[in-house]
Amino acid sequence: MLHGFRWPRAGFTGIRVYIVLHNLEEAAAEYIQQPLTTELLAESFHKTQADLVTRLPELSFIEQYDPADETSGTVSQDYAYISTRVLEIPEDGSGGSGGANIEDCVEQGSGLTDDQTAALEELRDRLAPGEKIGWYLVYNGDPERWFPDSEDEEDYESEEESEDECQTQRQSQAQGQKGDSFTEPTSPQSYTTRLTRFWNRMSSG
């Protein structure tokens, strides 16, 4: 469960446009809880929303994802979440410290100061105008959403390795050929010796 607001993926102020406008080329717009994407967004927010995020030290990006759901909609939800407080709820339904249940957590409120609440509202107005700030029950069964490399990626890596091996062999052969035809440069001493012998032959003749 989290306290915050939904950030739409579509729209002019949505996730996809934000990532494009701020040149976050390695960010995954369809799943912002992926570690690298979270890091890139956090860095960008500290530049573009610095006046607000410094007042919201526990700001985080959350996605809803059920690994067991194989429908097309689970690949990319319409919304992600920007949160200022996250409570992990065990399967028995308890949450927070001291075994407090969900109702108790909601009644306790967000825990934000008036200044932090104002900052969160301003951030919402910039990124997701019209969205409600409040508590959301969100399930994510695989936060980092790990997945194995595709067959295409494996084939590409194999081709790269084969090309590297061929290039190494070609370089070794070229170096070997150079080694066979290599002649040690004439040293000053050997040149002087030959010149002396030539002079002696000329003198004796």
Side-chain angles (χ1 to χ4, degrees), residues 7 18 40-51 53 59 61 82 123 127:
W7 189 12
Y18 182 92
L40 292 173
L41 282 174
E43 291 176 354
S44 179
F45 270 38
H46 276 86
K47 296 176 182 178
T48 63
Q49 317 291 337
D51 58 323
V53 297
L59 200 69
F61 305 100
I82 294 181
L123 185 63
L127 300 177

Side-chain angles (χ1 to χ4, degrees), residues 131-185:
E131 287 294 329
K132 179 180 72 73
I133 293 177
W135 288 100
Y136 291 88
L137 192 60
V138 178
Y139 173 72
N140 193 323
D142 183 10
E144 295 189 6
R145 201 169 178 175
W146 178 89
F147 58 91
D149 294 335
S150 66
E151 293 181 359
D152 292 340
E153 289 177 340
E154 292 177 353
D155 292 342
Y156 178 74
E157 290 176 355
S158 297
E159 291 176 0
E160 280 192 328
E161 291 175 356
S162 299
E163 179 62 26
D164 290 341
E165 291 177 358
C166 292
Q167 185 174 358
T168 301
Q169 291 177 356
R170 288 195 296 269
Q171 290 176 347
S172 299
Q173 292 174 356
Q175 290 175 355
Q177 292 173 355
K178 289 181 179 179
D180 294 340
S181 60
F182 178 75
T183 302
E184 184 177 355

